[in-house]
């Protein structure tokens, strides 16, 4: 079943709003579960989950850092009077991870719509065309930027820099070097893009006609209503309960 | 086309290699080929035939589950990119992707300084390479604000400071005029005399004709000697 991109945008907005405002871990888990079910319903690409495996150390690191810097509750692990893991800290860390997962997974709901459809959705929501176009450009350039960063990282190693042998400070420094080619590529591309946009008379007329016209069906209205109601109810309960 | 002496030991050897990008048709299908230090090998072929992919497989940037690539007899999968870079220099199609520093001088010596080599020793090497590649006067210029030909020579200089035994040059003549192509030919001949083997991936027939000892064509997943 095909849904309007605006319906998907409302769903993403509702889920990520809940991710930010909800504090209760169990409720966050429920929101995560809903995100997974919804994302799976839209049969989106789950390849990104394989990539998240690489970030497991980072996720564990986040839990530890949260726990060290905001200790609360009972001490679970300490070395020589230095508190590493507390119940409160652990809860905070888990909350951060759950929020990150909800935001990432809910965002994948949008991958089923083409960038052109997303622009159209924003335009029909009265977002100025220039801004909608900018959003779609940024979506389109993300994979290119990724490829450039990957090339820079390979090139730096092929220069004889053995990343594995470097200490943490030097390793961070080497990543900072990678910004140079990536940033120069971005600036260069932005210049070329602006020239070609001017050459094709971008913004020559105040109004633009469009070949694509999105229309909301009954099912779209229904999902939008349910998502908004669900989000507002939970937020309402939170506000009322303080 | 000139014939060169070929030593028996292949520097890079590809054995029964099959490669495809994710969800794409096979680009290289069960290919086996050897590359020698004593030769300049040109790789030609239509756009999208897999020339650059072959170059990236040879230098360990890409790897394949099916088949192997050997560097001086050792499977490339067991060697880190850092160690490959000390033996094989790879010049990207877009040299700006391999430039990381604000000045030409810093760019050339950066990797060695980073790995802890003494500055005076690195400076000596940098000066020698700057002279060899005719980059005098550009030492303090930004690698992003010089001409394409100069930028390419800077990228090449940054590779040569590692004293590699083999070079893979991806489309090195793109955007170069005749004078700059001649300059590049001269540099490559000098390098060959220093016993540095080379693979040139290119569309430029005249450049290949005057520089390469043998030519391979990549097409339809196969590699054939021309």
């Amino acid at each position: 079943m095909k849904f309007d991109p605006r319906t998907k945008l409302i769903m993403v907005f509702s889920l990520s709003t809940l991710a930010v405002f909800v504090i209760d871990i169990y409720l966050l888990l429920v929101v995560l579960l809903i995100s997974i079910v919804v994302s799976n319903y839209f049969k989106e690409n789950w390849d990104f989950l394989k990539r998240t495996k690489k970030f497991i150390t980072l996720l564990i690191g986040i839990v530890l850092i949260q726990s060290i810097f905001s200790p609360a509750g009972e001490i679970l692990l300490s070395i020589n009077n230095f508190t590493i893991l507390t119940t409160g800290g652990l809860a905070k860390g888990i909350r951060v991870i759950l929020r990150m997962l909800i935001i990432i997974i809910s965002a994948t709901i949008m991958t089923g719509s083409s960038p052109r459809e997303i622009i159209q959705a924003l335009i029909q929501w009265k977002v100025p065309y220039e801004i909608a176009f900018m959003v779609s450009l940024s979506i389109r350039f993300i994979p290119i930027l990724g490829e450039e960063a990957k090339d820079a990282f390979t090139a730096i190693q092929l220069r004889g820099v053995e990343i594995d042998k470097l200490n943490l400070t030097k390793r961070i420094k080497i990543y900072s070097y990678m910004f140079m080619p990536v940033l120069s590529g971005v600036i260069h591309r932005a210049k070329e893009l602006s020239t070609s946009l001017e050459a094709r008379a971008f913004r020559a007329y105040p109004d633009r006609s469009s070949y694509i016209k999105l229309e909301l069906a009954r099912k779209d209205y229904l999902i939008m209503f349910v998502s908004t109601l669900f989000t507002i109810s939970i937020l309402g309960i939170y506000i009322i309960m303080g | 086309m000139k014939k060169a002496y070929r030593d028996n030991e292949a520097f890079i050897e590809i054995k029964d290699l099959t490669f495809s990008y994710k969800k794409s048709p096979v680009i290289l299908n069960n290919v086996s080929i050897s590359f020698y230090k004593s030769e300049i090998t040109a790789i030609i072929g239509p756009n999208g035939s897999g020339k650059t992919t072959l170059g990236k497989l040879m230098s360990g940037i890409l790897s394949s589950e099916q088949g192997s690539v050997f560097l001086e007899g050792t499977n490339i999968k067991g060697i880190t990119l850092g160690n490959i870079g000390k033996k094989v220099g790879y010049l990207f199609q877009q040299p700006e992707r391999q430039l990381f520093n604000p000045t030409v001088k810093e760019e050339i010596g950066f990797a060695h300084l980073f790995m802890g080599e003494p500055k005076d020793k690195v400076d000596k090497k940098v000066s020698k390479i700057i002279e060899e590649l005719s980059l005098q006067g550009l030492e303090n210029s930004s690698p992003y604000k010089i001409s394409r030909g100069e930028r390419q020579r800077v990228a090449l200089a940054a590779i040569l400071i590692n004293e590699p035994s083999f070079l893979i040059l991806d489309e090195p003549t793109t955007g170069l005029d005749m004078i700059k192509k001649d300059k590049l030919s001269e540099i490559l001949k000098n390098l060959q005399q220093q016993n540095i083997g080379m693979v040139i991936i290119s569309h430029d027939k005249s450049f290949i004709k005057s520089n390469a000892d043998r030519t391979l064509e990549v097409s339809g997943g196969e590699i054939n000697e021309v």
Side-chain angles (χ1 to χ4, degrees), chain A residues 14 17-18 21-23 27 227-242:
Chain A
S14 302
T17 307
L18 287 175
F21 285 102
V22 171
I23 299 165
L27 195 54
S227 310
T228 319
L229 189 71
F230 180 69
T231 312
I232 291 174
S233 319
I234 291 181
L235 290 182
I237 294 168
Y238 259 80
I239 292 165
I240 292 163
M241 289 174 75

Side-chain angles (χ1 to χ4, degrees), chain B:
Chain B
M1 201 178 291
K2 57 198 172 78
K3 282 273 168 222
Y5 159 77
R6 182 187 284 181
D7 46 20
N8 292 327
E9 291 286 313
F11 189 77
I12 298 176
E13 192 180 8
I14 293 175
K15 270 188 184 166
D16 312 321
L17 189 82
T18 299
F19 183 83
S20 65
Y21 289 100
K22 261 184 207 168
K23 294 173 189 165
S24 301
V26 171
I27 292 186
L28 296 170
N29 191 9
N30 200 23
V31 296
S32 296
I33 193 103
S34 296
F35 297 91
Y36 301 87
K37 254 177 81 174
S38 50
E39 287 180 337
I40 296 185
T41 308
I43 297 177
I44 58 165
N47 284 344
S49 58
K51 305 184 294 294
T52 298
T53 305
L54 180 66
K56 286 187 172 176
L57 284 161
M58 285 168 69
S59 55
I61 300 173
L62 292 174
S63 66
S64 173
E65 294 298 317
Q66 288 168 273
S68 321
V69 178
F70 296 94
L71 178 63
E72 286 186 308
T74 311
N75 195 326
I76 212 161
K77 277 183 191 162
I79 316 174
T80 60
L81 277 176
N83 274 325
I84 295 171
K86 288 172 188 163
K87 291 177 178 175
V88 180
Y90 190 96
L91 185 71
F92 279 77
Q93 208 166 339
Q94 295 97 347
E96 48 279 357
R97 287 198 187 179
Q98 58 193 114
L99 300 171
F100 307 95
N101 287 269
T103 68
V104 167
K105 198 177 169 187
E106 282 174 84
E107 184 61 53
I108 300 171
F110 136 82
H112 283 244
L113 284 175
F114 204 84
M115 293 311 283
E117 218 173 289
K119 195 176 179 298
D120 52 336
K121 208 176 154 190
V122 176
D123 281 347
K124 265 186 198 164
K125 283 185 187 174
V126 171
S127 307
K128 192 175 162 245
I129 286 183
I130 282 180
E131 202 177 312
E132 271 178 24
L133 297 193
S134 312
L135 289 166
Q136 297 98 321
L138 296 173
E139 291 90 339
N140 297 315
S141 310
S142 160
Y144 292 97
K145 287 184 178 163
I146 52 180
S147 75
R148 191 188 157 96
E150 288 164 343
R151 199 178 302 141
Q152 201 169 42
R153 272 183 281 148
V154 172
L156 192 59
I159 291 168
L160 290 175
I161 200 167
N162 281 337
E163 294 165 357
S165 311
F166 203 88
L167 289 177
I168 299 170
L169 313 171
D170 194 355
E171 301 281 4
T173 57
T174 310
L176 300 190
D177 61 26
M178 286 312 291
I179 299 165
K180 282 178 187 131
K181 274 187 203 174
D182 289 344
K183 179 77 208 159
L184 185 66
S185 283
E186 195 187 304
I187 292 168
L188 298 188
K189 271 171 195 147
N190 259 335
L191 293 173
Q192 197 185 18
Q193 277 165 13
Q194 293 169 38
N195 199 27
I196 296 176
M198 261 169 269
V199 159
I200 304 172
I201 300 165
S202 182
H203 283 293
D204 194 329
K205 280 185 180 168
S206 64
F207 187 79
I208 288 170
K209 205 175 173 189
S210 56
N211 288 287
D213 302 308
R214 74 167 170 156
T215 305
L216 303 173
E217 186 175 15
V218 184
S219 183
E222 290 177 4
I223 301 177
N224 294 305
E225 206 137 343
V226 182

